Amino acid sequence: MQSKLKILEATEAFFPNIDGVVNVVKNYAEQLNKTDECTVCAPKPAKKSKYKDEEAYEVLRCNSFSAPENYRAPMPSTDLKFKKKLYEKNFDLIHVHSPFMLGRYCLKMAKKRKIPTVLTLHTKYKVDFQRTLHGCKPLINFMMRYIMKTINGADNVWTVSNTAVQELRDYGYKGEVHVVKSGTDFKYPDNAEELIAKIDEAHGLKGQEHVFLFVGRIAMYKNLGLLTDALKIVKEKGVDFKMIMVGGGFDVKKMKEKVEEAGLSDRFIFTGTVKDRKILQGYYLRSDLFLFPSTFDTCSLVSIEAAAHKLPVVVIKDSCPAEGIEDGVNGFISDEDSEIYAEKIISAINDKNLTQIGENAYKTVYRTWEQVAEELREKYVEIIEEYKNGKKQNV
């Protein structure tokens, strides 16, 4: 094995925010730090949050200012203390997880230090820009040129799913793309019945026959309108159920209004963000189906978490979350249509093989962060060696 590696994971989304990218970077750093030296750099959180880093690995923070949706935009070039600390580290490789200011700064620093870089595409940026910039084509085109310049500046470009490779091709990226799928820290618990009982008690679910679950940011662009419309149809078909929505987000109010308009307020349970991982396990274990109709996500960490608890998912055909799912074998696939999604839910809960389908998900979709880290480190070593020999993969 190669001597201890010194790796920098650079991200513009990190604690106290919680999302898919934060989860990936956190677990990369935790696992790598067991054998190597891993550092994370990220924007400073807002002072009012009073958040302090208490991770087992080092977190370097740079100056930042407020950005949309409670995120922070970094200003690394203005932070002399941050820049000094970064330059003193002598990293072997820098892995960038966002193509904006901090990502671009780290790529430039790597070129000066003559060390290899990796950039991972986690998000469908064009869709995000169209939403946040309200369809303004000049601004969208400007932002797409900006991120493509950053992406093309990396030595190695990765994605988190095979389906997301096409996203890069659609942006015009022509280089080699490597896929590293994500994992989960969850393991099926020994005290499953105890965790289920706590959820039953908390929400009065004892004896409830059908319980559905969504975990993630409450954002309407994750097809939550389709989910609500589908469940309205399920109710009209005479199916009794409870739908648990775990997570916070900027569209919680809008989603609750949508649920009320659909006449489903008595069927939905909004828990807010759940930080206690044992409680979160209880929600997965108590549920019969994991409903995840998003076509926005490039990877579905929550689907992997569901699989860890033998919980089948209902996803949309040709979406990234549908990757690795075989309809009726280890999950369920629906067209992007509320009526068809409703039919798929009803068909799934009536499937006599539902328990076996959950078992199949556990065997085929479930993947641990330890497994990811083995692949990750092996790839890092390969990149570092190839870089020393003058070979770069972004061609």
Side-chain angles (χ1 to χ4, degrees):
M1 181 182 281
Q2 176 165 329
S3 59
K4 206 172 192 181
L5 302 178
K6 294 182 75 173
I7 305 295
L8 175 67
E9 304 288 339
T11 177
E12 296 184 19
F14 206 56
F15 298 119
N17 294 91
I18 299 174
D19 64 15
V21 179
V22 176
N23 201 340
V24 169
V25 174
K26 165 192 176 289
N27 283 286
Y28 275 19
E30 281 182 356
Q31 294 300 325
L32 288 168
N33 211 48
K34 291 176 181 178
T35 54
D36 302 285
E37 184 182 330
C38 190
T39 302
V40 170
C41 71
K44 287 179 182 176
K47 286 183 180 179
K48 65 180 180 181
S49 75
K50 297 181 180 178
Y51 180 81
K52 292 184 179 179
D53 293 306
E54 295 178 346
E55 311 299 330
Y57 46 87
E58 186 174 12
V59 181
L60 298 178
R61 299 278 191 166
C62 69
N63 290 339
S64 68
F65 60 92
S66 179
E69 299 172 0
N70 295 320
Y71 285 92
R72 303 292 296 179
M75 298 186 294
S77 299
T78 69
D79 195 327
L80 297 177
K81 188 177 178 182
F82 169 79
K83 289 163 70 174
K84 185 173 183 291
K85 282 185 177 179
L86 219 54
Y87 270 88
E88 287 172 350
K89 284 290 183 179
N90 294 317
F91 296 109
D92 296 307
L93 179 144
I94 294 177
H95 190 158
V96 170
H97 294 271
S98 56
F100 301 106
M101 287 181 282
L102 185 56
R104 186 172 285 193
Y105 176 82
C106 288
L107 292 179
K108 286 180 180 178
M109 185 189 78
K111 279 194 174 176
K112 288 180 183 177
R113 301 301 295 265
K114 294 183 170 53
I115 57 175
T117 54
V118 175
L119 184 146
T120 293
L121 178 86
H122 289 276
T123 302
K124 291 185 176 179
Y125 288 108
K126 192 165 188 178
V127 175
D128 227 359
F129 294 152
Q130 287 168 340
R131 177 179 60 85
T132 56
L133 299 174
H134 309 291
C136 178
K137 286 187 178 180
L139 274 176
I140 292 167
N141 291 337
F142 170 79
M143 290 306 298
M144 288 304 299
R145 286 194 300 270
Y146 184 95
I147 69 163
M148 285 311 298
K149 187 174 180 181
T150 309
I151 292 169
N152 283 314
D155 299 317
N156 303 267
V157 174
W158 296 1
T159 65
V160 288
S161 66
N162 290 308
T163 315
V165 175
Q166 187 57 46
E167 190 78 10
L168 277 165
R169 300 300 179 216
D170 292 344
Y171 293 172
Y173 181 74
K174 294 180 169 49
E176 185 178 339
V177 182
H178 181 69
V179 176
V180 176
K181 295 185 179 182
S182 298
T184 177
D185 57 339
F186 280 132
K187 292 178 174 57
Y188 196 89
D190 295 328
N191 62 335
E193 293 302 321
E194 179 187 329
L195 295 174
I196 290 169
K198 285 183 178 179
I199 301 303
D200 278 344
E201 185 179 353
H203 299 291
L205 292 174
K206 192 169 183 181
Q208 178 67 47
E209 188 176 2
H210 303 303
V211 177
F212 308 140
L213 179 67
F214 172 92
V215 178
R217 191 189 305 179
I218 308 299
M220 298 308 291
Y221 62 73
K222 287 178 179 275
N223 249 343
L224 298 185
L226 181 148
L227 174 65
T228 309
D229 292 341
L231 288 174
K232 182 181 179 182
I233 296 167
V234 172
K235 179 185 176 181
E236 290 168 352
K237 296 281 188 181
V239 178
D240 183 29
F241 66 87
K242 290 291 184 181
M243 177 71 216
I244 302 175
M245 304 291 292
V246 175
F250 46 84
D251 278 343
V252 171
K253 183 181 177 184
K254 192 179 288 186
M255 181 60 181
K256 286 183 177 179
E257 288 172 353
K258 173 75 175 172
V259 167
E260 188 174 351
E261 286 170 11
L264 295 172
S265 295
D266 62 327
R267 302 295 182 100
F268 272 71
I269 297 168
F270 290 84
T271 70
T273 301
V274 175
K275 294 183 179 179
D276 187 318
R277 302 291 278 171
K278 289 293 182 185
I279 298 296
L280 184 54
Q281 282 196 287
Y283 285 114
Y284 282 117
L285 292 163
R286 179 59 183 89
S287 304
D288 302 296
L289 286 175
F290 188 77
L291 306 185
F292 200 73
S294 176
T295 58
F296 173 80
D297 293 69
T298 54
C299 170
S300 176
L301 294 172
V302 287
S303 292
I304 302 170
E305 291 182 355
H309 299 90
K310 305 178 182 180
L311 177 63
V313 300
V314 184
V315 291
I316 299 297
K317 183 180 178 181
D318 296 330
S319 67
C320 290
E323 193 170 297
I325 301 297
E326 288 186 67
D327 189 38
V329 177
N330 61 355
F332 301 93
I333 298 175
S334 166
D335 289 344
E336 193 174 359
D337 177 273
S338 58
E339 290 189 8
I340 296 173
Y341 201 82
E343 288 170 7
K344 186 61 70 170
I345 292 169
I346 294 169
S347 171
I349 59 176
N350 289 325
D351 193 320
K352 65 181 187 299
N353 294 319
L354 186 61
T355 301
Q356 184 58 52
I357 291 167
E359 290 283 348
N360 293 344
Y362 181 77
K363 291 173 185 175
T364 59
V365 179
Y366 175 47
R367 171 173 156 94
T368 68
W369 283 115
E370 287 87 352
Q371 291 172 301
V372 176
E374 286 180 19
E375 179 185 347
L376 188 66
R377 192 183 193 281
E378 186 178 312
K379 194 64 183 171
Y380 282 168
V381 170
E382 179 186 322
I383 289 169
I384 291 165
E385 289 303 314
E386 287 181 344
Y387 191 89
K388 285 177 182 176
N389 295 327
K391 182 183 176 184
K392 296 183 182 180
Q393 292 186 4
N394 187 358
V395 292

